Amino acid sequence: MTRIVVFPGQGSQTVGMGAELFRAFPQEVAFADAILGYSLEELCLKDPQQRLHKTEFTQPALFVVNALAYLQAVEREGSRPDFALGHSLGEYNALFAAGAFDFITGLRLVQRRGQLMGRADGGTMAAVVGLSPARIEDCLREVAPGEVDIASFNSPEQTVISGAAGAFERLESALESAGARQVVRLRVSAAFHSRYMRAAESEFATFLSQFEFSPLDFPVVSNVHAMPYAEQGLHECLAGQISRPVRWTESIQWLARQPMPVFEELGASKFLTPLIQSTLRRSADA
C-alpha cells in the first residue's frame, strides 16, 4: 500500500474549522498568534470581523489548520506517509509534512504569500464543469485572447479559469454554448494562478531567497510539474506556483500509478476528495 496525504488550499476554509485541533496543539497555536498578531482561534471559530475569506487571513489560517491536522494524523498513525501533495496553498503543508521547513517558517512563508496575493485585485475566477480543458483553451483563444488563463486542472470534469473580470460575461456564454454544464464564479478577490499574478510572483521570489530548505523526508508532488520535487527545485516552484496553473489532475494520475495508492485528505474540509475520486474513476475507465 502507498499512503498519500493531500492538503486543500484556498476555498476550503469554513467558520468553525480547527476547533478540536486548537485544543490539542496549544503551543503551536500560541506560536501562530505571536507571528500573525491576532487570535487564530477567534478568526477560525467566530470570524467576528468577517476576515476569514480575505486572502491575507485565509492562507495562514488554512496552513495552520492543515498542519495541525497532519500532526494529529502522525500521532494517530504512528508513521509518516509515502507521498504528499497539496492544492495551491496546500502544497506548503505537504512540504511542511515532508520536513522542508518547520511550522514557524511555513507560517511566515504563507503569511507573506497571502499578503502579496491579497494585494492584487480586479480579476476573477470560475470553475468550468463538464467541458474538456482542450475545448476550454479553444474558447479562451477565441473569445478572450490574452485576458484569461487556465488556473487549475482540478479533474477531468472540472477546470478553473482566471483572468480579467471584464472578459467573463462573454466567456461564460461561449463556454456554455460549447457544452459546459456549469460555469461557477468563485468568491475570490483576484485572478490567482494567472499572468496577472506575475508581479506578486517576482516579489515573493525575492522573499523566498532569504530561506534555505531541508531535504525532503519523502516525495512531494509539485503543482507546477505534476512530478515529485527535484532536490534543488523548491524556491523556483514555490514562486512560479503563484502565476502558473495547478496541475492537479496529472498529479493524481501520476500517484495513481504507485502500488496500491490510498489517498487521505487532511485539513479544513474534504474539498479535494471528490476531485480525486473523479480522476481515479476516469483513469480506471480509460
Side-chain angles (χ1 to χ4, degrees), residues 30 35 56 80 93 124 146 182 195 259 279:
I35 291 167
E56 60 268 38
R80 294 180 177 183
N93 290 107
T124 192
Q182 286 182 298
R195 68 191 72 197
T279 299

Side-chain angles (χ1 to χ4, degrees), residues 5 7 84-86 89-100 216 218 220-221:
V5 295
F7 298 94
L85 74 164
L89 180 280
E91 188 158 282
Y92 288 79
N93 290 107
L95 291 167
F96 161 71
L216 301 183
F218 52 80
V220 172
V221 177

Side-chain angles (χ1 to χ4, degrees), residues 3-4 17 32 70 74 86 117 123 128 155 202 221 225 227 229 273:
R3 183 170 170 241
I4 303 159
M17 68 180 186
Y70 175 74
V74 170
M117 293 177 71
V128 183
S155 77
S202 177
V221 177
H225 299 299
M227 292 285 290
Y229 266 91
T273 299

